Every structure is written in structure tokens, then in C-alpha cells.
Amino acid sequence: VILDFSGCNYIGEIHLILKEKFGLPQYYGENWDALWDCLDGRFDETVNYIVEIHGYNSLSKEVQEHCATMLDVFNEVQKKTPTVKFCLIS
């Protein structure tokens, strides 16, 4: 899975990418608690997944600060489901 946040200027764009790339449901609440709820248990534990995060470093400082919690969610998902690896590429 490739998450490319290049060119994102606001948090809503980030959530749209997450919704699309992870196939999140229509009722996804576009907040970090909802992201955890949707990703927890979403991945088949018999398959290895790599999620590459691109464009994070090009986000504005304000959006990066808001998205720091997203990285925490990814870290927690990775801890709970070791077959999922999140890699911050750029």
C-alpha cells in the first residue's frame, strides 16, 4: 500500500487518501480514533503488508503536527499486527 501525501494542504485530504487506500467504510469518522477502530483487525495476519508513507516530510508543519497522531496509530497497528509494516519514506 502506498500512501502519497505529496501536495496535501489540509487534514481532510489526508483522511480521503487513508479512506481510499485502506478501503475504509463510508461511516469512517475522519479522526484518529476512527482510524484506529477501522485498522485494528483489518489486516489478515497470515499475509505480510508493507505500507509506504510518501510526502509526509513535505506537509506543512501544522499538518505534520496534526498527523503525528496518525503515525502513532500506525505504530500501534504494527505492534498489534506484526505482519503489517509502516515505512516512512519521505
Side-chain angles (χ1 to χ4, degrees):
V1 176
I2 296 177
L3 303 175
D4 188 357
F5 300 131
S6 301
C8 290
N9 296 311
Y10 63 94
I11 196 65
E13 292 172 306
I14 301 290
H15 285 291
L16 286 175
I17 290 169
L18 294 170
K19 189 173 184 179
E20 177 187 319
K21 293 298 184 171
F22 289 125
L24 303 180
Q26 283 298 105
Y27 58 83
Y28 170 61
E30 296 190 7
N31 63 67
W32 305 130
D33 288 334
L35 181 63
W36 166 254
D37 291 342
C38 289
L39 292 183
D40 183 30
R42 185 163 199 84
F43 299 96
D44 180 346
E45 293 187 22
T46 64
V47 176
N48 291 321
Y49 299 90
I50 296 174
V51 179
E52 292 184 2
I53 304 161
H54 295 265
Y56 182 84
N57 294 326
S58 67
L59 296 172
S60 71
K61 292 290 183 196
E62 180 180 315
V63 174
Q64 273 188 17
E65 288 172 7
H66 191 71
C67 288
T69 305
M70 174 189 70
L71 298 180
D72 292 340
V73 169
F74 291 165
N75 189 43
E76 290 303 312
V77 169
Q78 186 171 298
K79 283 181 188 175
K80 188 168 182 188
T81 312
T83 58
V84 179
K85 181 171 173 94
F86 291 87
C87 303
L88 182 59
I89 304 298
S90 62

